[in-house]
Amino acid sequence: MLGDQGKNSHERAVAARFGERRARNMISTIKGFWKVCRYGDLYMVLAALAAQSINISVGFCQGFSAVLLPQYTHEHPNVTYEQSSWIASLGVISNPVGALLGGMMVDAVGRRLMLQSIVLPNLIGWLVIAFSETYVFLCVGRFITGFTIGMSTVSYIYVAEITTPEKRGVLSALGPGLVSTGIFVVYALGAFVHWRKVAAICAGFSLLTPFLMHFVPESPLWLASKGQMKEAYNALFWLRQNNSAAQQELVDFTKDRRGESMSFAQKLALFKRRRVLKPFALLMLFFAFQEMSGIYVILYYAVDFFKSVGTSVNEFTASIIVGGVRVLMGGVGAALISRFRRRTLATASGLLLGGAMLGAALSHDALLRLVFVLLHVCFSMVGFLQLPWIMCGELFPQDVRGVLSGATSCCAYLLIFLNIKTYPRLQACLGADNTLLLFAVCALLGALYCLLFLPETKGKTLAEIMRQFDSEKAPPDPEAAPTPSAATPTPVIPPASSTTPP
């Protein structure tokens, strides 16, 4: 009896300590949430979420062909393999046009208005698909929705400009995570709902981003670059909820930006500078290795891909599993980006991608192949997929960030189009196993490239990132800060007492 009483008292003591620990953890969580609200991070997070919501529609566009093709070819058996590849690739071929057009417009009209205007091609394209009666109209709808994907890269610019260096990585990583969410939703819908109804649902969802962006401010850096200092301060105050932080950030930005009185020739000369050409070249090589690692082939040809590699699981079920894995790993990738350096993540992701695809190429067991493909999807979401897009908003100077980000995205989407369009031919020439082997080699080479050449941006302000590319010995850069004799005027900032959030 005494032994039982002692045992019960010990269990009660353990339970009490466990309860106290849970209570302390709950209090810590509440305190952490209060700190987020108190110090303004909540407003910054909400603004980033509003901008990144466009990437759910991007996921719809990217994943739609994987569920459209099996249903459409079943309804129309006379559709050739070449026509099917055009249905898939036409959702990509207009991406470069959208990226280039968006890049040219975003510096003129602003980040916020640009994100709101994306609703037009998105809505029109989905409605054309939903009501299309012929193959031609279906292709036209796919082409129009592709503009959404290209123009959506402005979300990364907006997030990079409104966030603090500590939060920029994780909030930028929300973009690929929400793309994966859109892909998962459209895969799941496509397994049970007719493709026309799926297109109608996507059309309705396209109204979300312009609605959310109505409640958040314009990028303060863009406003300041246009000389709208009062509006820039108001935007920063809304985002930070802190008067001194808003003033200091605006002053720091004013010191780093060049004067507004530049001739057209000087502006043209910006595109020849090291701080423009070097990050452009670095990103393009990163994108090339990304595309050739097989990430987008699995995305656009999910159902047909699982047929070709011979998995024993139903193709639609396998596609939904892939979509779910992408969503889950998108959250893991966002957490890792906030903890590890960009170069470390990219290198590790490339090595693991190559290993997974190599395993899929060499394995002769159907279920094991599915496991390796799922591992490939997992490892892509911890670096190789997100980082090039995130770094598009980080590596370019403020004055040409929109144009250069658009141009880089344009070239990247051209590479994706070539990859998607040539995949059926590539597989026919090399066979499924050798195609997977090629993807594995490209991923491993990409890992080596990232280890040797990828610039580090984690925890750095946008101005500090720019200084990494200013080491060349050349004539004075017109983007450099003005000399003391022509000092940049201090921005006129209204006092906190007279300022209210917009």
Side-chain angles (χ1 to χ4, degrees):
M1 288 292 289
L2 291 175
D4 291 342
Q5 289 178 355
K7 183 178 179 181
N8 290 337
S9 62
H10 175 70
E11 290 177 351
R12 284 195 297 270
V14 171
R17 286 197 298 271
F18 181 71
E20 290 175 5
R21 191 158 55 245
R22 289 188 62 182
R24 285 197 299 269
N25 290 340
M26 186 178 296
I27 293 171
S28 298
T29 303
I30 294 171
K31 286 182 177 178
F33 181 73
W34 168 248
K35 286 181 180 179
V36 168
C37 298
R38 173 67 181 82
Y39 294 108
D41 284 356
L42 178 63
Y43 290 84
M44 181 176 66
V45 170
L46 291 176
L49 282 171
Q52 296 285 30
S53 65
I54 187 62
N55 287 296
I56 301 177
S57 292
V58 172
F60 290 163
C61 296
Q62 290 184 342
F64 186 68
S65 63
V67 298
L68 167 66
L69 288 176
Q71 293 189 32
Y72 190 76
T73 53
H74 179 73
E75 294 172 1
H76 303 84
N78 295 328
V79 173
T80 65
Y81 206 60
E82 184 70 18
Q83 288 175 319
S84 297
S85 72
W86 274 112
I87 291 176
S89 57
L90 276 170
V92 186
I93 195 172
S94 56
N95 297 172
V97 183
L100 201 58
L101 183 64
M104 290 188 294
M105 292 176 61
V106 70
D107 284 332
V109 304
R111 285 56 165 144
R112 182 184 176 212
L113 181 58
M114 194 69 216
L115 280 165
Q116 290 176 310
S117 65
I118 294 175
V119 67
L120 293 174
N122 201 15
L123 183 61
I124 292 170
W126 284 119
L127 290 176
V128 170
I129 292 173
F131 294 102
S132 63
E133 296 295 337
T134 64
Y135 170 80
V136 173
F137 275 100
L138 186 61
C139 290
V140 169
R142 288 285 292 158
F143 183 84
I144 296 173
T145 56
F147 281 100
T148 302
I149 301 177
M151 299 172 75
S152 68
T153 52
V154 66
S155 64
Y156 295 102
I157 300 175
Y158 181 84
V159 171
E161 292 182 350
I162 68 166
T163 52
T164 58
E166 297 79 15
K167 300 292 191 299
R168 190 176 64 241
V170 66
L171 292 178
S172 295
L174 287 173
L178 290 175
V179 171
S180 299
T181 302
I183 292 169
F184 173 71
V185 170
V186 85
Y187 281 177
L189 287 172
F192 306 104
V193 181
H194 191 268
W195 60 268
R196 292 187 187 275
K197 293 181 180 177
V198 175
I201 293 170
C202 295
F205 197 87
S206 65
L207 301 172
L208 176 66
T209 300
F211 172 75
L212 294 178
M213 290 303 296
H214 175 74
F215 300 100
V216 301
E218 176 59 87
S219 161
L221 298 192
W222 181 82
L223 290 169
S225 70
K226 298 300 180 182
Q228 302 176 36
M229 293 302 175
K230 182 177 180 180
E231 292 80 359
Y233 169 77
N234 286 341
L236 271 172
F237 183 76
W238 190 94
L239 291 164
R240 304 291 182 260
Q241 294 294 296
N242 185 295
N243 174 56
S244 59
Q247 291 195 34
Q248 186 58 49
E249 283 191 47
L250 196 56
V251 170
D252 290 343
F253 170 70
T254 307
K255 289 178 181 177
D256 284 311
R257 63 186 277 265
R258 72 178 197 276
E260 296 297 325
S261 56
M262 291 184 66
S263 66
F264 178 76
Q266 286 176 314
K267 291 182 178 180
L268 212 57
L270 296 178
F271 294 91
K272 301 177 183 179
R273 291 297 180 184
R274 178 188 179 92
R275 57 163 48 190
V276 170
L277 293 179
K278 186 175 179 180
F280 178 78
L282 289 170
L283 280 175
M284 286 316 306
L285 285 171
F286 195 177
F287 273 117
F289 286 117
Q290 180 205 62
E291 265 81 82
M292 285 307 298
S293 66
I295 293 173
Y296 286 97
V297 166
I298 297 175
L299 175 63
Y300 279 84
Y301 289 101
V303 175
D304 292 332
F305 180 82
F306 286 113
K307 281 184 181 178
S308 68
V309 300
T311 59
S312 58
V313 181
N314 175 272
E315 307 89 63
F316 285 99
T317 303
S319 301
I320 294 172
I321 293 172
V322 167
V325 168
R326 282 177 62 99
V327 173
L328 177 65
M329 292 306 297
V332 174
L336 292 175
I337 282 177
S338 66
R339 287 179 172 270
F340 294 96
R341 300 172 67 198
R342 307 283 195 264
R343 187 181 295 128
T344 302
L345 276 181
T347 303
S349 179
L351 287 173
L352 293 170
L353 277 175
M357 198 55 87
L358 191 62
L362 300 179
S363 173
H364 298 290
D365 181 78
L367 186 58
L368 195 58
R369 277 198 166 193
L370 175 61
V371 171
F372 278 121
V373 171
L374 290 177
L375 287 174
H376 182 276
V377 173
C378 289
F379 298 144
S380 71
M381 295 300 297
V382 298
F384 236 59
L385 181 67
Q386 314 104 309
L387 286 176
W389 301 107
I390 291 172
M391 296 174 82
C392 273
E394 294 179 332
L395 293 186
F396 296 115
Q398 169 69 28
D399 307 273
V400 290
R401 184 170 295 136
V403 174
L404 262 296
S405 179
T408 305
S409 301
C410 172
C411 296
Y413 285 126
L414 281 174
L415 291 175
I416 294 174
F417 167 73
L418 292 174
N419 190 228
I420 300 303
K421 187 68 179 72
T422 58
Y423 168 69
R425 295 289 184 187
L426 184 68
Q427 189 186 43
C429 294
L430 300 181
D433 292 345
N434 289 331
T435 302
L436 297 180
L437 193 60
L438 176 63
F439 291 158
V441 171
C442 290
L444 294 173
L445 289 175
L448 180 63
Y449 166 77
C450 292
L451 177 64
L452 297 177
F453 300 108
L454 195 69
E456 188 55 57
T457 62
K458 183 181 183 298
K460 297 181 179 180
T461 66
L462 298 181
E464 289 170 342
I465 294 170
M466 290 302 99
R467 295 188 193 112
Q468 293 182 86
F469 306 111
D470 284 341
S471 57
E472 65 174 348
K473 294 182 179 180
D477 192 335
E479 284 197 57
T483 58
S485 59
T488 305
T490 304
V492 178
I493 302 174
S497 59
S498 63
T499 305
T500 56

